[in-house]
Amino acid sequence: MLAARMRFVQYLRKGDLAKRLGLLADDQKSLVELAGVEGVPNDLKTLIAQNPNIEELAKKVQKQPTLALNDDVTLLPPLTDPGKIICIGLNYQDHCDEQNKPAPKEPMFFSKFNNTLVGPTDNVIAHKASDKIDWEVELVCVIGKVARHVPKEQAMDYVFGYSIAQDISARDWQKERNGGQFLIGKSMDTFLPLGPAVVHKSLVKNVYDLNLKTWINGVEKQNGNTGNLIFKLDDVINRLTETITLLPGDIIVTGTPKGVGMHRNPPEFLKAGDVIKSEIVGLGTMTNNVVAS
């Protein structure tokens, strides 16, 4: 039962000046505070770097206080300062199909900056610089230890856990401007809602059988399954670590299924007043309002 609590969140209580670390309940209505637990820091990235024994941690938190989630508690992104945010484009066959593109022969990697990160209930800004802002629900893989030249058969040993992201994208800047480079279109402020938690891998029986969905204003737009990933996590980690050292707390945003706004007929884009709901079964839900810049 205690192991089921290994859903790590970072949060602020009203009046707090520094973030806290906690464990989110399955129903997302309360959390267990980790403040004061021996050997546990106040941020998740540091904890991951310590390579904690999850069973021992579960024992330590048995008598920790529970905090109800209400207006006095703000859930932050579960990781606020990852060293790297690495994303993968065209990693679901149905997302390739909706663009009339063949599946890539190797992963298409790109990056986002940390300024994009917001929490699971924070606002997404509809920047005036773009009128083609789109949604993409994605599984996030969180790296658990230093990974360099990792063989494919060992790659999953380097995973700490999983989370949900919305890879918000300004399609005009991604596709039509900035010389075809993705960076600005993907890295505008608030363009990566992340959360609600980082769920330890021990709670995920099969990472390739997770349903993921997006709703916009209550209307389902995306409904996919991670079993349709073209490049699986072991392959991705193996390829990346041939040339890039991955560190504890780095995140890999693994791609999105079909149903993005750009490829609908007619195309649909986000505007101020819209509500984005994201879900991956077993990992939780996020609800983010779109606001004017």
Side-chain angles (χ1 to χ4, degrees):
M1 183 69 176
L2 284 170
R5 291 180 173 175
M6 295 297 114
R7 301 173 180 272
F8 295 91
V9 293
Q10 294 186 156
Y11 66 99
L12 294 171
R13 296 193 304 192
K14 190 173 183 178
D16 278 349
L17 298 177
K19 64 191 175 191
R20 298 170 180 260
L21 185 63
L23 298 172
L24 187 65
D26 290 356
D27 61 7
Q28 297 187 204
K29 294 182 179 180
S30 64
L31 58 82
V32 174
E33 299 191 89
L34 295 182
V37 176
E38 182 181 359
V40 176
N42 65 355
D43 75 280
L44 181 55
K45 182 178 172 181
T46 303
L47 179 70
I48 293 172
Q50 293 176 352
N51 192 24
N53 182 306
I54 293 300
E55 291 183 2
E56 290 299 319
L57 180 58
K59 293 176 183 178
K60 288 182 179 181
V61 304
Q62 291 186 52
K63 296 182 180 180
Q64 286 299 110
T66 298
L67 180 67
L69 291 184
N70 53 39
D71 292 342
D72 291 334
V73 179
T74 301
L75 288 181
L76 304 172
L79 286 159
T80 52
D81 59 344
K84 302 177 193 70
I85 302 172
I86 300 172
C87 307
I88 308 172
L90 297 175
N91 203 23
Y92 282 77
Q93 183 63 56
D94 58 5
H95 184 47
C96 297
D97 293 343
E98 70 179 346
Q99 303 179 58
N100 297 313
K101 291 184 176 181
K105 295 182 179 179
E106 58 184 10
M108 184 179 75
F109 294 115
F110 61 94
S111 61
K112 298 179 80 121
F113 290 145
N114 285 356
N115 62 291
T116 60
L117 289 166
V118 291
T121 61
D122 287 334
N123 294 332
V124 169
I125 297 172
H127 292 272
K128 293 179 181 178
S130 174
D131 57 8
K132 295 182 178 181
I133 298 175
D134 205 350
W135 57 84
E136 296 187 12
V137 66
E138 310 206 12
L139 171 73
V140 173
C141 172
V142 180
I143 297 299
K145 54 186 178 180
V146 177
R148 183 186 298 112
H149 301 300
V150 176
K152 187 175 178 180
E153 60 271 16
Q154 297 176 16
M156 300 307 287
D157 294 340
Y158 289 79
V159 174
F160 179 81
Y162 305 101
S163 192
I164 308 169
Q166 266 289 344
D167 176 19
I168 305 296
S169 308
R171 300 300 191 190
D172 38 8
W173 283 89
Q174 178 189 0
K175 301 289 188 179
E176 304 162 16
R177 304 183 65 177
N178 197 39
Q181 297 294 316
F182 280 18
L183 186 62
I184 293 179
K186 292 286 189 173
S187 288
M188 295 184 184
D189 290 350
T190 74
F191 271 22
L192 193 66
L194 180 69
V198 170
V199 178
H200 189 262
K201 64 182 179 182
S202 62
L203 301 185
V204 180
K205 292 182 179 179
N206 183 1
V207 72
Y208 303 122
D209 188 22
L210 301 176
N211 293 324
L212 63 170
K213 296 183 180 182
T214 297
W215 294 263
I216 306 298
N217 303 325
V219 178
E220 184 182 286
K221 300 295 184 180
Q222 291 184 280
N223 186 343
N225 187 281
T226 55
N228 295 320
L229 284 165
I230 296 171
F231 299 102
K232 309 299 189 187
L233 294 176
D234 54 354
D235 189 14
V236 167
I237 292 169
N238 169 251
R239 289 172 184 264
L240 282 171
T241 61
E242 288 178 347
T243 55
I244 298 172
T245 300
L246 300 179
L247 300 176
D250 287 353
I251 65 176
I252 303 172
V253 186
T254 59
T256 199
K258 71 175 182 179
V260 301
M262 175 176 65
H263 298 299
R264 291 181 167 272
N265 187 17
E268 300 175 15
F269 297 106
L270 295 168
K271 61 185 183 302
D274 287 342
V275 179
I276 310 164
K277 182 180 177 182
S278 316
E279 178 185 65
I280 298 182
V281 174
L283 302 185
T285 61
M286 301 192 297
T287 303
N288 301 94
N289 295 321
V290 182
V291 299
S293 59

